[in-house]
């Protein structure tokens, strides 16, 4: 299929089929974050209109820390659920843009802009929804270097040209900006014939990127190393789809990438977290490998030092150059077990315990927590 055909397929699949809640054939839209939900995010989620939540079809919760006053873009905004959560967290001085290719979802999202403005007590709306393609942000008028944070929730797997999506994301981010996204990944490269199956594509399975290819792509585009936060195995409920995708397994995983200055200083550093990020006074879990305790000095590699120095977290850390090598192994496209979502999903499942998750209605329901 050509790119246009993939777009038309997704528009049909999500514009009409998902009017019926729960019509997806995998567990992807039921995935829960495997780290505790911050109180401010939980509170914002509970304020989102129930009709918006019922149409949600993402595969994670894409709400990074410290968003007050930020300009945020949601790539593939769907029902608008994540945008309205972000709208509360960025505050009246922040701004949220949701972009989606599906006209029905954009129109449905726009109906609730005023509702959330009034719910949050804002003088004017801070959220807009734009119909467009996430690999063609230039056509929507979004300027280069204009955004602080990009989020995406299970949208890249529905796009045939992942590299173009990443290039556009890189273009519109400011230096120090972040792409924080949840998506579906495959255990190996998906054969071309499976990509022609409309249901497999619509479910995000045949369009899923092989996880090792993600590392190569982001480096090629210019982003930092992908930092893996969470991962969960995806269960295919439909027996026919299971048979079609035989031999390939999938995970839902959340990564964060940063756009760093090209001429930045390259040296390992000793850093100490100040405990100043809202909702994280004692510990900031940056990714699965970097957990920063308040006032505890740790040595990080040059790239992580640059991330902390040039991103919106710069005021939350004291940073000093260090001659002592960082203890973390370097991540390369060829060998990076730190970014393998399948290994992380196995580990989290092994250490799971009964807890709660947030359902599509915004209410807590039982699940297995994997925070340990």
């Amino acid at each position: 299929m050509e790119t246009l055909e993939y777009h038309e397929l997704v528009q049909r699949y999500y514009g009409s089929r998902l009017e019926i809640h729960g019509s997806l054939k995998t567990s992807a839209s039921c995935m829960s974050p495997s780290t505790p939900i911050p109180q401010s995010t939980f509170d914002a989620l509970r304020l989102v209109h129930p009709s918006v939540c019922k149409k949600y079809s993402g595969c994670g919760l894409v709400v990074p820390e410290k968003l007050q006053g930020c300009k945020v873009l949601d790539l593939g905004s769907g029902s608008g659920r994540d945008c309205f959560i972000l709208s509360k967290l960025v505050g009246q001085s922040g701004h949220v843009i949701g972009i989606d290719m599906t006209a029905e979802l954009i129109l449905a999202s726009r109906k609730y802009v005023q509702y959330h403005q009034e719910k949050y007590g804002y003088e004017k709306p801070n959220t807009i929804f734009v119909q467009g393609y996430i690999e063609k942000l230039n056509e929507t008028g979004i300027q280069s270097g204009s955004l602080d944070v990009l989020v995406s929730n299970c949208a890249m797997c529905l796009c045939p040209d992942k590299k173009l999506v990443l290039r556009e994301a890189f273009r519109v981010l400011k230096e120090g900006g972040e792409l924080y996204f949840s998506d579906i990944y495959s255990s190996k490269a998906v054969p071309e014939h499976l990509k022609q199956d409309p249901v497999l594509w619509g479910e995000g399975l045949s369009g899923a990127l092989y996880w090792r290819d993600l590392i190569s792509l982001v480096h090629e585009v210019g982003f930092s190393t992908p930092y893996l936060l969470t991962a969960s195995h995806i269960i295919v409920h439909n027996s026919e789809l299971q048979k079609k995708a035989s031999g390939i397994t999938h995970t839902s995983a959340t990564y964060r990438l940063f756009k760093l200055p090209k001429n930045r200083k390259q040296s390992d550093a000793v850093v100490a977290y100040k405990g100043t990020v809202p909702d994280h006074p004692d510990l900031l879990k940056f990714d699965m490998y970097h957990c920063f305790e308040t006032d505890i000095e740790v040595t990080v590699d040059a790239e992580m030092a640059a991330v902390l120095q040039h991103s919106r977290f710069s005021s939350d850390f004291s940073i000093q150059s260090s001659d002592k090598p960082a203890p973390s192994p370097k991540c390369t496209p060829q060998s990076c077990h730190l970014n393998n979502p399948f290994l992380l999903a196995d580990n989290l499942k092994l250490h799971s315990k009964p807890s709660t998750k947030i359902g599509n209605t915004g209410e807590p329901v039982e699940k297995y927590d994997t925070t340990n």
Side-chain angles (χ1 to χ4, degrees):
M1 289 191 290
E2 299 294 328
T3 297
L4 180 60
E5 293 178 285
Y6 283 113
H7 286 162
E8 291 174 346
L9 186 159
V10 173
Q11 287 170 324
R12 290 195 302 269
Y13 203 82
Y14 285 83
S16 56
R17 186 181 186 88
L18 292 184
E19 287 298 313
I20 304 172
H21 173 56
S23 61
L24 286 176
K25 303 176 186 297
T26 75
S27 65
S29 64
C30 303
M31 292 295 102
S32 313
S34 57
T35 54
I37 300 175
Q39 189 63 45
S40 61
T41 302
F42 184 87
D43 292 342
L45 177 58
R46 293 183 73 104
L47 294 175
V48 176
H49 195 285
S51 295
V52 174
C53 292
K54 285 178 181 178
K55 293 181 180 179
Y56 160 75
S57 58
C59 60
L61 189 62
V62 286
V63 184
E65 313 87 352
K66 198 178 180 182
L67 293 175
Q68 181 69 33
C70 286
K71 294 182 179 179
V72 182
L73 171 65
D74 184 358
L75 301 172
S77 53
S79 72
R81 189 203 73 165
D82 292 343
C83 285
F84 291 126
I85 295 173
L86 296 164
S87 171
K88 181 70 167 67
L89 297 176
V90 301
Q92 181 69 83
S93 62
H95 187 64
V96 178
I97 305 170
I99 181 171
D100 201 280
M101 72 170 79
T102 307
E104 292 90 342
L105 291 173
I106 290 295
L107 291 173
S109 301
R110 287 173 177 168
K111 291 179 182 179
Y112 295 97
V113 170
Q114 184 177 353
Y115 170 88
H116 291 93
Q117 173 201 343
E118 295 173 354
K119 191 79 171 177
Y120 301 156
Y122 294 162
E123 294 182 3
K124 58 183 180 179
N126 70 347
T127 305
I128 63 171
F129 293 94
V130 179
Q131 186 177 359
Y133 301 106
I134 63 175
E135 66 268 59
K136 297 180 180 180
L137 298 179
N138 58 315
E139 294 184 356
T140 67
I142 298 176
Q143 300 298 308
S144 300
S146 62
L147 299 168
D148 300 295
V149 177
L150 271 63
V151 301
S152 182
N153 201 333
C154 208
M156 265 192 251
C157 58
L158 301 174
C159 194
D161 194 335
K162 275 73 168 171
K163 185 175 181 180
L164 193 53
V165 175
L166 290 168
R167 278 180 173 172
E168 275 294 274
F170 189 85
R171 179 184 67 82
V172 300
L173 277 173
K174 300 176 181 177
E175 281 196 348
E178 176 179 12
L179 170 57
Y180 186 104
F181 65 110
S182 180
D183 212 68
I184 298 175
Y185 296 92
S186 61
S187 57
K188 58 184 179 181
V190 178
E192 285 300 318
H193 74 275
L194 292 182
K195 296 180 182 180
Q196 310 303 312
D197 187 288
V199 177
L200 281 176
W201 189 272
E203 293 288 326
L205 300 181
S206 62
L209 189 66
Y210 175 38
W211 72 270
R212 286 187 182 274
D213 290 341
L214 172 69
I215 301 172
S216 302
L217 275 179
V218 299
H219 284 158
E220 185 177 347
V221 169
F223 276 110
S224 70
T225 293
Y227 295 99
L228 176 62
L229 286 93
T230 67
S232 300
H233 290 296
I234 290 177
I235 301 169
V236 179
H237 303 302
N238 183 282
S239 59
E240 184 179 346
L241 289 189
Q242 287 179 347
K243 185 176 180 180
K244 286 182 179 180
S246 179
I248 303 177
T249 56
H250 296 82
T251 64
S252 165
T254 302
Y255 289 93
R256 63 197 319 167
L257 317 172
F258 289 85
K259 179 179 178 178
L260 299 175
K262 292 181 179 179
N263 298 320
R264 64 185 182 271
K265 184 178 180 181
Q266 297 279 357
S267 66
D268 294 352
V270 175
V271 304
Y273 172 51
K274 299 177 183 179
T276 49
V277 174
D279 292 320
H280 303 276
D282 303 312
L283 176 73
L284 178 63
K285 183 176 180 180
F286 194 84
D287 67 340
M288 66 168 286
Y289 190 80
H290 298 92
C291 294
F292 300 105
E293 294 183 69
T294 300
D295 297 329
I296 302 298
E297 291 188 343
V298 294
T299 304
V300 297
D301 65 25
E303 186 180 68
M304 176 55 70
V307 167
L308 298 178
Q309 182 178 4
H310 296 286
S311 70
R312 66 187 185 283
F313 299 103
S314 60
S315 64
D316 301 298
F317 286 83
S318 62
I319 305 173
Q320 295 181 326
S321 296
S322 174
D323 295 329
K324 181 180 178 181
S328 58
K330 304 297 182 183
C331 178
T332 67
Q334 293 75 31
S335 174
C336 189
H337 66 281
L338 294 179
N339 279 315
N340 185 338
F342 290 89
L343 290 180
L344 178 59
D346 286 341
N347 184 57
L348 294 178
K349 184 178 180 181
L350 184 65
H351 294 90
S352 65
K353 62 181 181 180
S355 184
T356 59
K357 84 162 193 176
I358 303 301
N360 284 6
T361 62
E363 294 300 319
V365 296
E366 186 170 324
K367 69 154 290 215
Y368 283 92
D369 178 38
T370 51
T371 58
N372 289 347

